[in-house]
Amino acid sequence: MRGQILGVDTRSGRGVIAGNDGDRYTFTPADWAQAGEPSIGMEVDFDVAGRDAISVFPLPGQGALAAYAPTPVSTRVRRDRSRIVAALLAFFLGTLGIHRFYTGRTGSGLVMLGLSITVVGLLVTGPWALVDAVRYLLMSDNGFARRYDAD
């Protein structure tokens, strides 16, 4: 059967095809029978097994296909922020919320800055900053990048 790819989840590789018969069929990366990556709007030929599309091939003339493999976080473009720098900022200037500004959390950074004006506020922001410093140090580089770096 022939159809057109309606959508592909870039994380899982699962996709949906609108068949020429008017029905929709799902496929997985294992069903993609071609070296390359499926993309929205691509015309394909496939076999049907229930509601699933299997042996999915792009039709000729669909352009060059890149090898299908989601890019892992570790090979992405240089990270904007370092977890070590964030931990050092939290430890030394944490009561002022500087580490929160560094990680892009300006709202909580402003709250910490405002609280640090009073002695009672320092009793709150001190432990808060210490917990943040320890959390940054215990977090993996990839976990920190997923949470605080913009892609």
Side-chain angles (χ1 to χ4, degrees):
M1 177 180 298
R2 292 195 176 189
Q4 183 178 29
I5 296 178
L6 294 178
V8 179
D9 182 353
T10 57
R11 292 180 189 228
S12 69
R14 295 181 164 279
V16 178
I17 298 173
N20 287 347
D21 62 353
D23 287 334
R24 293 185 178 184
Y25 302 93
T26 59
F27 67 94
T28 64
D31 298 319
W32 187 252
Q34 178 76 22
E37 184 175 314
S39 62
I40 296 173
M42 184 179 282
E43 296 289 329
V44 294
D45 185 71
F46 61 97
D47 292 326
V48 176
R51 303 298 303 160
D52 296 326
I54 58 173
S55 299
V56 181
F57 288 92
L59 292 177
Q62 294 296 309
L65 301 173
Y68 178 78
T71 306
V73 172
S74 61
T75 61
R76 290 189 182 150
V77 180
R78 187 180 73 77
R79 293 186 175 97
D80 293 337
R81 298 175 181 98
S82 165
R83 69 183 180 89
I84 302 300
V85 171
L88 289 172
L89 287 172
F91 188 78
F92 291 110
L93 300 172
T95 56
L96 299 174
I98 303 301
H99 65 288
R100 289 288 177 152
F101 292 105
Y102 177 75
T103 58
R105 306 296 198 249
T106 52
S108 59
L110 288 171
V111 168
M112 289 182 83
L113 187 59
L115 285 173
S116 66
I117 295 172
T118 66
V119 173
V120 175
L122 287 174
L123 294 175
V124 172
T125 59
W128 184 359
L130 186 60
V131 167
D132 280 348
V134 170
R135 190 168 47 103
Y136 297 149
L137 289 173
L138 294 177
M139 194 178 288
S140 71
D141 286 335
N142 287 340
F144 185 86
R146 277 193 304 273
R147 186 174 195 129
Y148 298 110
D149 286 348
D151 287 336

